[in-house]
Amino acid sequence: MTEQTTLTPLKDTRQPLLSVRDLRVSFPSEAGRVDAVRGVSFDLHRGKTLGIVGESGSGKSVTSMAVMGLLPEYASVSGEAVLGGRNILALDDKRMSKVRGKHIGMIFQDPLSSLTPIFSIGAQIVEALQIHQDISSAAAWKRAVELLDLVGIPNPERRAKGFPHEFSGGMRQRAVIAMAIANDPDLIIADEPTTALDVTVQAQILDVLKTAQRETGAAVIMITHDLGVVAGSADDVMVMYAGKPVERAGVDELFARPRMPYTIGLMGAIPRLDDRARDALTPVPGTPPLLVDLPDACPFAARCPVAEDACRAAEPELLAIGGTEPGGSPAVEPPETAVHSVACRRASEISDGAIGGEPVFPVPAAREPEAAAVPREERPKVLELSGLTKTFPLTRGGLLKRKVGTVFAVNGIDLDIREGETLGLVGESGCGKTTTLLEVMGLKPPERGSVSVAGKNAADLRHKRDIAAVRREMQMVFQDPMGALDPRMTVFDILAEPLRAAGGHAKDDLTRQIGELMELVGLDPEHRDRFPAAFSGGQRQRIGIARALATKPKLLVLDEPVSALDVSVQAGVINLLNELKAELGLSYLFVAHDLSVVRHISDRVAVMYLGRIVEIGDIDAVFDHPSHPYTKALISAIPLPDPAAERSRERVLLRGDLPSPTDDSPGCRFVSRCPLHLTLPESRKRQCLDITPELVARATPDHSSACHFADATPADLTTSADVPTERQS
């Protein structure tokens, strides 16, 4: 028999399941003591979800790791976290190990590192069961298969014998969720559970989490930077900044009436899927403070546009809005029980994101590119792809490799980008987006089709000087700004490198041009002698953009340029890209998995699926009237930062993973996951299976999709018209 813990979590939903009081966590460092968490208090009831949001370094994950007892030994932890009548912060590691997995389940951000690569998925779930329950191996295996089935893994009996590397990212996260709920825990902590996943997989994982909570009745702590995820899944929200909660309220109240300038800034920095106006975002200026020797002042004052002298005199407490004590000061109520609590002296003055009618964060003016005044068909093409194809051999064997198949990474795509235009390229991981970018940047004759940059065909570039001249016309900005910059070079040398390669630049001229480039992207030229490590993530991305602009290109290829940034920093980079496009007449090929960002920055969008474009057209036409079932699923999967709208939306959940990219047989590649195909009469399904759909113009000439039944009405689908059954490509 396994030793039982003494925790007896309450089943009464009127009493808090978890009570955290004055939680404080600090770490030693060379600069001094780092106060990562500085007094967190909250109550969490059974069956409820608490969303914790904030920028990187705000203390979200450290709070959850403290509750789990997973912090290193050198961390100093104080306060209380009462679960089942016991302060679990006071338990040693041996006793805490009986709480983890049984009473508290944890879902980490990276599912691959959460699983042991040398054991099967089923064996790892069996281990989690047998550690905390007196259960036979056969019964535990049967339960493991049931759990995998519950979280939506197909063929659970077979997949339970598989290893983590044989699962996709979404499937691995489902397996981790199955492990977390194996012992019916009272509390589930999910730390950024959807950050590294595609939008369609994210929607599935959030749905699985809701199922898991419903099956176990557990309380959930959802830690995320995505306010849309919080809007659709949380009951209460706690906003953290500099290690402390700065606002706490019910999800509807917080999104409808935010009262802390920081919360208002976060919401204004988010591009929204339902925003057709695409006005400039409102970035939060500056960076969070270092949590070493913080002064007794509001930690947000240096970044707050409405801060007063009193804000710098003492740090405000988290107080309930409304009511006063004798003498006129705000009434102090326990923040963990308050309906809406804010740590801001000016909270009572804020209404609808404004003070006295003036917005807390002024909205920057947006500027239209001059090229936008010219009809698209009259503008020159900056990039043109025609029938572009790229395949890779699939081999087996060690020393003697043999070809067993072909991976069709890019399978005959056509698109063009005009001057002053942004084309968003979207789709799930593995659809061919990055391969397309590499084919464009390689400037080599493709296997089939053609690549033309600024009117010059890559197949006609015979000499190095011709290739260099065309390469100067297009530059690339990468996803990871730190990985894209040489840490041993100063900013001056990083920006000077492409200028020196072009030749003809004297030292004084280089200094002037580098200063102009840094000013253009919003950096201080006086910092040109610093190394990349001295800059924040957003500033490093600005350095990458400045480097790309050094050769005065016509086209920027942007590969997930904001996905690694906090939402507040992301807004500034997006605004910068729009400003540069308007000022310099640039064109962008913009790859992203976040369709909200794509809608905000793009003029047109191309949707890729397994190496082919399935829908392309004007951004508003595609987002407002998607015609391909895959596009509809992608758009419906993006969460909205609006609780009411998010709860009322109809979401299209795709089942299963992408089919094999080695199959190039005729027929629609999406048919195995298509919700529309399931509703078709049998006489119509054969068309999807046997005939490859072509891109066909829909309501407007600049909106095409590859679906046989995109425009079909229910009456059309029930007619008995002849349907071709002969296989054709």
Side-chain angles (χ1 to χ4, degrees), residues 55-248:
E55 293 172 289
S56 299
S58 62
K60 308 185 301 295
S61 294
V62 176
T63 298
S64 68
M65 298 293 272
V67 172
M68 287 288 293
L70 294 177
L71 292 174
E73 291 184 359
Y74 56 80
S76 174
V77 183
S78 63
E80 287 188 342
V82 178
L83 178 71
R86 291 289 302 275
N87 177 18
I88 57 178
L89 297 185
L91 300 180
D92 59 28
D93 191 61
K94 182 178 180 180
R95 288 184 292 172
M96 192 63 196
S97 66
K98 300 182 184 303
V99 176
R100 289 191 295 262
K102 181 174 179 61
H103 295 288
I104 306 176
M106 184 80 181
I107 303 167
F108 294 95
Q109 179 175 345
D110 181 11
L112 186 58
S113 62
S114 303
L115 299 166
T116 304
I118 61 173
F119 293 110
S120 69
I121 294 293
Q124 295 184 60
I125 299 177
V126 166
E127 181 187 34
L129 288 163
Q130 291 187 316
I131 284 175
H132 296 288
Q133 298 182 37
D134 183 15
I135 185 173
S136 68
S137 296
W141 187 268
K142 181 181 178 182
R143 176 60 178 158
V145 172
E146 291 173 352
L147 287 165
L148 292 177
D149 184 51
L150 176 66
V151 297
I153 291 182
N155 302 315
E157 298 88 352
R158 179 174 62 84
R159 300 307 294 268
K161 300 175 184 177
F163 291 84
H165 72 272
E166 298 175 313
F167 283 54
S168 66
M171 288 296 182
R172 284 195 289 264
Q173 195 64 293
R174 289 169 186 263
V176 170
I177 293 173
M179 197 179 304
I181 66 173
N183 294 291
D184 293 330
D186 303 290
L187 172 65
I188 298 173
I189 300 176
D191 188 1
E192 300 277 10
T194 62
T195 296
L197 304 177
D198 286 314
V199 291
T200 51
V201 180
Q202 172 181 279
Q204 296 170 20
I205 295 302
L206 292 175
D207 188 60
V208 168
L209 272 173
K210 290 178 182 177
T211 301
Q213 185 177 24
R214 186 170 60 248
E215 291 291 325
T216 62
V220 174
I221 296 177
M222 174 71 74
I223 298 169
T224 180
H225 68 279
D226 191 332
L227 289 174
V229 169
V230 168
S233 59
D235 298 293
D236 298 293
V237 184
M238 182 167 70
V239 182
M240 291 189 66
Y241 185 78
K244 292 189 73 172
V246 294
E247 187 158 13
R248 171 84 191 272

Side-chain angles (χ1 to χ4, degrees), residues 471-492:
R471 196 173 297 284
R472 284 195 290 269
E473 300 285 357
M474 65 173 181
Q475 293 292 319
M476 191 163 184
V477 178
F478 297 91
Q479 178 176 357
D480 179 11
M482 193 60 183
L485 302 175
D486 191 331
R488 299 167 299 177
M489 295 173 67
T490 64
V491 173
F492 181 92

Side-chain angles (χ1 to χ4, degrees), residues 662-717:
T662 61
D663 182 13
D664 192 38
S665 58
C668 176
R669 308 302 305 282
F670 186 59
V671 68
S672 62
R673 305 170 72 198
C674 181
L676 176 60
H677 180 75
L678 298 175
T679 66
L680 297 176
E682 292 299 324
S683 60
R684 295 288 184 170
K685 288 183 177 179
R686 180 56 55 186
Q687 187 172 356
C688 300
L689 296 170
D690 292 348
I691 303 174
T692 302
E694 300 293 334
L695 277 171
V696 177
R698 300 300 170 184
T700 63
D702 191 30
H703 182 190
S704 303
S705 65
C707 177
H708 294 304
F709 303 105
D711 300 322
T713 65
D716 296 331
L717 298 178

